[in-house]
Amino acid sequence: EAGVAQSPRYKIIEKRQSVAFWCNPISGHATLYWYQQILGQGPKLLIQFQNNGVVDDSQLPKDRFSAERLKGVDSTLKIQPAKLEDSAVYLCASSFFPSGSTDTQYFGPGTRLTVL
Amino acid sequence: GENVEQHPSTLSVQEGDSAVIKCTYSDSASNYFPWYKQELGKRPQLIIDIRSNVGEKKDQRIAVTLNKTAKHFSLHITETQPEDSAVYFCAASINQGGKLIFGQGTELSVKP
């Protein structure tokens, strides 16, 4: 089966600019996650969608980050304006996740963002 | 909130030796514990997971043990090979949320 797809793979921007990342989950997966992985650390959840609804966005810096999941399939994560500390790899993951259970999360290749 | 501590941060072993990585978690409601392997510049890939209703799970050269009372779980790799070299992350999840809380990672180096 096809895996989680992300684009772009790399992005370099100046601080205060805006940037958007795209994710296409595995077909049929209801739950989609965006994680931020700073160099040398484990991934940290930014936002979790189930279908097109937000389940958890408690760690999302809402003054600059936004995310949406179009029609419960693809998702975009946006940063506006970017700060130096946003430099990280942004990982998208998906899982089948029937309500009330925990299921395997499959990760995409990530987008490496460098903010100068 | 949930916190996961992982040790050691780096581990170097000779090919053929065993490697053990340990994690502790803070929330006793956690019931799902996956381990991911991440090679340089690649995506995290699930290598093994365990749920709280079992104490041990094996898959060829890798095994995971869980001690719910002590709130810790460990990854064991036997007969290590150079291709096992990577960063390994443990994680914990509470059933309803599905959100994974990751440890800080262990960089494993297997020397031939």
Side-chain angles (χ1 to χ4, degrees):
Chain A
E1 81 186 347
V4 177
Q6 289 187 249
S7 68
R9 293 295 313 278
Y10 306 91
K11 191 73 177 180
I12 301 174
I13 61 173
E14 301 276 339
K15 61 183 178 183
R16 292 187 289 274
Q17 287 186 323
S18 62
V19 64
F21 312 129
W22 173 83
C23 173
N24 178 241
I26 293 172
S27 178
H29 279 195
T31 305
L32 185 148
Y33 313 78
W34 283 102
Y35 288 87
Q36 180 192 56
Q37 185 175 25
I38 293 172
L39 186 65
Q41 299 181 16
K44 183 186 81 172
L45 182 76
L46 292 175
I47 190 167
Q48 175 185 344
F49 293 94
Q50 186 163 346
N51 296 309
N52 59 359
V54 175
V55 174
D56 185 339
D57 64 355
S58 58
Q59 298 297 303
L60 187 73
K62 298 180 184 66
D63 58 334
R64 298 184 301 106
F65 286 65
S66 65
E68 61 180 1
R69 190 173 183 196
L70 306 173
K71 300 179 181 178
V73 182
D74 293 3
S75 178
T76 55
L77 176 69
K78 297 179 182 178
I79 308 175
Q80 181 179 11
K83 292 185 175 181
L84 296 177
E85 58 261 37
D86 298 331
S87 294
V89 175
Y90 291 84
L91 293 162
C92 179
S94 71
S95 71
F96 181 64
F97 192 50
S99 177
S101 69
T102 302
D103 207 345
T104 302
Q105 292 184 29
Y106 297 90
F107 283 83
T111 296
R112 182 177 298 277
L113 174 66
T114 301
V115 182
L116 303 176
Chain B
E2 171 73 286
N3 185 51
V4 176
E5 296 286 335
Q6 182 173 348
H7 299 281
S9 57
T10 60
L11 180 60
S12 181
V13 300
Q14 289 295 130
E15 182 177 1
D17 287 351
S18 295
V20 180
I21 303 170
K22 299 181 179 181
C23 290
T24 58
Y25 59 99
S26 60
D27 194 330
S28 57
S30 296
N31 69 349
Y32 174 64
F33 308 92
W35 286 87
Y36 284 84
K37 174 184 180 181
Q38 188 174 30
E39 297 177 49
L40 191 63
K42 301 282 184 66
R43 73 187 73 195
Q45 293 203 304
L46 180 74
I47 55 172
I48 195 167
D49 58 11
I50 191 167
R51 286 174 166 79
S52 59
N53 57 346
V54 297
E56 184 176 3
K57 183 177 178 181
K58 288 183 179 180
D59 183 3
Q60 299 182 353
R61 296 186 297 109
I62 60 173
V64 57
T65 58
L66 171 65
N67 183 325
K68 288 173 56 180
T69 303
K71 291 191 285 187
H72 68 70
F73 56 112
S74 301
L75 178 71
H76 304 252
I77 306 175
T78 59
E79 300 173 22
T80 54
Q81 301 167 3
E83 50 264 39
D84 294 330
S85 296
V87 178
Y88 291 80
F89 291 97
C90 63
S93 175
I94 297 172
N95 190 48
Q96 291 173 314
K99 171 175 73 175
L100 292 176
I101 306 297
F102 283 86
Q104 300 89 333
T106 296
E107 184 175 1
L108 174 65
S109 176
V110 180
K111 300 187 184 305

